[in-house]
Amino acid sequence: MFGQLGYGVVRGCSKALACAVFLCGSAVQAETVHLLALGDSLTQGYGLMDDEGFVPQLREWLADHGHDARVVNGGVSGDTTAGGLSRVEWSLTPEIGGMIVTLGGNDLLRGIDPAASRANLDGILEVAEAHDLEVLLIGMTAPGNYGAAYKKSFDAMYPELAKQYGTLYLDSFFAGLMTDGETPADVKSFMQSDGIHPNAEGVRRIVDAVGPKVEELIARIED
């Protein structure tokens, strides 16, 4: 009888120990990091199949590099910095821990005053700061046809705002396509027929450049 009781006690303890080990192991596992990609058609994946756009390819890249990350597609085709500012607050659901901000391309296409674009980006970063969110700000480069003053003002707002708010910064969404000083004409094979939006291979190259910056963003969130 004592033997049966002793066996039962040992068996019960073993089960309890196994349960404790499982729970402890689960506790140390990293939680899923939730990111919001706030942007325009470049983020949304204009002209591409569902799995070919920036967000799904970034999700896959992060998974392949060992990250448990969920990236919410907050890209709206045609959106300006003003549009991003108008919707950033309600886009930040409680689980979001960081943002990737890629806006300004449509401001350029419309010739919007860089001062207005800067004020909108400033507003977006203020919202992120108020929510205690880490941010990766991805810049744009203005063409020369608006004049030197416009280009200087537009190009400068991204690094200056990144420094002001202490965000991570990447100088261009297209950095992965122009690694050796190529011009847009040189990367035509990676663009859709409109010459503005990347094709699936172009997005893959873009993600290869953006991915390490997003890893830095995740590291900041988890720190």
Side-chain angles (χ1 to χ4, degrees):
M1 185 174 185
F2 177 81
Q4 291 178 339
L5 178 61
Y7 173 76
V9 170
V10 171
R11 187 179 180 189
C13 289
S14 298
K15 286 183 177 180
L17 180 61
C19 183
V21 169
F22 173 79
L23 291 175
C24 288
S26 298
V28 299
Q29 288 179 354
E31 294 183 1
T32 301
V33 174
H34 298 264
L35 305 173
L36 170 66
L38 186 73
D40 50 32
S41 56
L42 296 174
T43 300
Q44 181 262 334
Y46 176 87
L48 299 171
M49 300 293 288
D50 289 345
D51 61 342
E52 295 176 342
F54 173 73
V55 170
Q57 288 209 46
L58 178 59
R59 290 184 191 128
E60 184 177 1
W61 190 97
L62 291 171
D64 289 345
H65 286 75
H67 299 285
D68 183 7
R70 170 177 172 259
V71 187
V72 177
N73 192 339
V76 174
S77 187
D79 217 3
T80 61
T81 55
L85 177 58
S86 71
R87 61 189 173 86
V88 63
E89 189 74 56
W90 57 260
S91 298
L92 292 173
T93 50
E95 73 277 4
I96 298 296
M99 272 203 301
I100 304 165
V101 180
T102 309
L103 287 163
N106 289 304
D107 295 52
L108 281 176
L109 291 175
R110 301 181 188 188
I112 293 172
D113 184 348
S117 301
R118 184 185 185 116
N120 294 327
L121 289 172
D122 184 85
I124 291 170
L125 296 178
E126 279 188 351
V127 171
E129 187 174 67
H131 286 262
D132 196 27
L133 299 178
E134 297 292 346
V135 176
L136 167 60
L137 180 62
I138 301 180
M140 294 275 172
T141 302
N145 57 304
Y146 289 120
Y150 185 103
K151 179 175 176 57
K152 181 180 179 180
S153 179
F154 188 94
D155 293 356
M157 66 183 180
Y158 294 100
E160 289 175 359
L161 286 170
K163 182 177 180 180
Q164 177 183 338
Y165 284 92
T167 75
L168 291 168
Y169 171 63
L170 181 64
D171 61 350
S172 174
F173 183 82
F174 295 104
L177 299 184
M178 301 180 185
T179 56
D180 296 310
E182 297 94 338
T183 66
D186 297 325
V187 296
K188 188 175 181 180
S189 62
F190 303 119
M191 304 297 286
Q192 297 181 44
S193 59
D194 61 9
I196 297 174
H197 299 93
N199 56 28
E201 175 60 21
V203 172
R204 186 190 69 77
R205 290 172 177 254
I206 288 167
V207 167
D208 282 342
V210 174
K213 282 292 185 180
V214 179
E215 286 188 304
E216 290 183 48
L217 180 65
I218 292 172
R220 282 194 177 192
I221 294 168
E222 295 178 336
D223 187 9

